């Protein structure tokens, strides 16, 4: 199992399989990204330094610095303490797979709703390798071959194939398996990459601003139903 923060690299290990709540978490991600950037500003002021906000290094475990404050101040305005803790933990873990530059764009005033959703989809795909692999091997492939229909059967075939190398997929409970599937499809729908009413893949085209940012991590384009030659 990979560490608790940053993009997942399974390298023959077990998948992270904890994406059972929250869907895309787009608004929550933006709020906590802004909080983390303010945290960096305070650090800069305190030490008289200059933290490079355009760094291409993933935030990683440093995002944990805001977790307790976010919970105590209920930044996400969640009614129950237990739910608040779960959502803050889940959102910060996904944000840990983004770079400071990506977080700055996510939280900034110039990003569109579509771009913010795209960044949170990227965060989910990086943090959960199995989600990223599904995006590349199923979601994008369907688009590229012109087969826009996507449903639970496609997901089942994908999981069955992965289980050959990842037996942990066969040991999770039926309830957890359904939650993982449901939350993945919910996230795709919230990112407007999938129309749940017609079970169809929806094409995506990033803005020039987001494209410029993602050129530093071009593998990120693989998570979307798009033809990269159009960039």
């Amino acid at each position: 199992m990979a560490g608790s923060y940053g993009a997942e690299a399974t390298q023959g290990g077990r998948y992270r399989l904890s994406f059972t709540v929250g869907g895309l978490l787009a608004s929550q991600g933006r709020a906590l990204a802004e909080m983390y950037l303010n945290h960096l500003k305070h650090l800069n002021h305190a030490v008289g330094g200059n933290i490079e906000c355009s760094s291409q290094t993933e935030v990683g475990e440093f995002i944990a610095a805001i977790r307790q404050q976010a919970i105590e101040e209920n930044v996400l305005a969640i009614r129950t303490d237990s739910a608040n803790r779960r959502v803050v933990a889940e959102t910060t873990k996904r944000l840990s797979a983004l770079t400071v530059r990506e977080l700055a764009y996510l939280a900034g005033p110039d990003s569109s709703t579509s771009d913010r959703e795209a960044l949170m989809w990227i965060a989910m795909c990086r943090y959960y390798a199995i989600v990223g692999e599904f995006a590349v091997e199923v979601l994008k492939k369907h688009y590229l071959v012109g087969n826009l229909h996507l449903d639970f059967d496609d997901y089942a075939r994908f999981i069955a194939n992965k289980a050959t190398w990842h037996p942990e997929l066969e040991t999770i409970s039926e309830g957890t398996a359904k939650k993982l599937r449901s939350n993945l499809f919910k996230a795709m729908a919230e990112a407007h990459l999938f129309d749940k009413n017609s079970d169809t893949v929806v094409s995506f085209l990033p803005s020039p601003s987001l494209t410029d940012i993602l050129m530093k991590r071009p593998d990120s384009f693989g998570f979307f139903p798009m033809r990269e030659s159009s960039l």
Side-chain angles (χ1 to χ4, degrees), residues 130-149:
I130 193 169
V131 174
E133 290 169 10
F134 180 84
V136 173
E137 299 171 20
V138 182
L139 178 67
K140 181 162 188 167
K141 184 176 180 180
H142 271 237
Y143 174 76
L144 292 177
V145 301
N147 175 19
L148 300 185
H149 183 80

Side-chain angles (χ1 to χ4, degrees), residues 1-2 8-16 165-166 168:
M1 175 71 75
E8 180 179 25
T10 55
Q11 296 178 336
R14 296 169 62 88
Y15 281 126
R16 289 170 175 161
W165 296 276
H166 290 271
E168 70 270 19

Side-chain angles (χ1 to χ4, degrees), residues 32-77:
L32 294 185
E34 182 177 7
M35 187 176 185
Y36 180 71
L37 292 170
N38 287 332
H39 169 72
L40 290 184
K41 289 179 182 178
H42 289 315
L43 283 181
N44 272 329
H45 179 74
V47 303
N50 181 28
I51 298 175
E52 178 54 69
C53 290
S54 63
S55 170
Q56 295 308 311
T57 302
E58 288 178 3
V59 173
E61 63 184 3
F62 295 106
I63 195 76
I66 66 166
R67 274 185 60 172
Q68 192 57 37
Q69 181 184 355
I71 291 170
E72 292 175 355
E73 296 180 1
N74 195 12
V75 171
L76 302 182

Side-chain angles (χ1 to χ4, degrees), residues 14-220:
R14 296 169 62 88
Y15 281 126
R16 289 170 175 161
L17 297 170
S18 57
F19 51 99
T20 57
V21 296
L24 190 64
L25 297 172
S27 62
Q28 296 89 342
R30 189 182 192 195
L32 294 185
E34 182 177 7
M35 187 176 185
Y36 180 71
L37 292 170
N38 287 332
H39 169 72
L40 290 184
K41 289 179 182 178
H42 289 315
L43 283 181
N44 272 329
H45 179 74
V47 303
N50 181 28
I51 298 175
E52 178 54 69
C53 290
S54 63
S55 170
Q56 295 308 311
T57 302
E58 288 178 3
V59 173
E61 63 184 3
F62 295 106
I63 195 76
I66 66 166
R67 274 185 60 172
Q68 192 57 37
Q69 181 184 355
I71 291 170
E72 292 175 355
E73 296 180 1
N74 195 12
V75 171
L76 302 182
I78 297 174
R79 288 196 303 172
T80 68
D81 180 66
S82 59
N84 184 33
R85 290 179 180 275
R86 285 198 303 272
V87 175
V88 168
E90 179 64 21
T91 307
T92 51
K93 285 179 179 179
R94 295 189 196 181
L95 291 179
S96 73
L98 298 179
T99 67
V100 174
R101 186 183 181 194
E102 290 166 344
L103 287 181
Y105 187 65
L106 174 65
D110 298 326
S111 57
S112 66
T113 299
S114 176
D115 282 356
R116 293 195 295 270
E117 291 168 348
L119 279 169
M120 288 306 295
W121 174 246
I122 289 169
M124 188 176 184
C125 288
R126 288 182 190 166
Y127 188 77
Y128 294 107
I130 193 169
V131 174
E133 290 169 10
F134 180 84
V136 173
E137 299 171 20
V138 182
L139 178 67
K140 181 162 188 167
K141 184 176 180 180
H142 271 237
Y143 174 76
L144 292 177
V145 301
N147 175 19
L148 300 185
H149 183 80
L150 180 66
D151 58 25
F152 286 175
D153 288 340
D154 296 297
Y155 178 82
R157 285 189 289 271
F158 168 79
I159 292 297
N161 180 56
K162 294 297 178 181
T164 304
W165 296 276
H166 290 271
E168 70 270 19
L169 292 170
E170 297 181 323
T171 61
I172 58 177
S173 69
E174 182 179 353
T176 297
K178 287 182 178 180
K179 287 180 180 179
L180 294 174
R181 182 187 65 189
S182 175
N183 210 39
L184 171 55
F185 275 75
K186 179 181 179 182
M188 286 194 297
E190 291 177 345
H192 296 95
L193 305 175
F194 173 73
D195 185 337
K196 62 182 179 181
N197 295 316
S198 59
D199 287 343
T200 56
V201 176
V202 179
S203 63
F204 175 77
L205 184 64
S207 71
S209 296
L210 181 60
T211 297
D212 180 63
I213 291 171
L214 297 185
M215 284 297 186
K216 301 295 184 180
R217 295 279 297 270
D219 59 305
S220 301

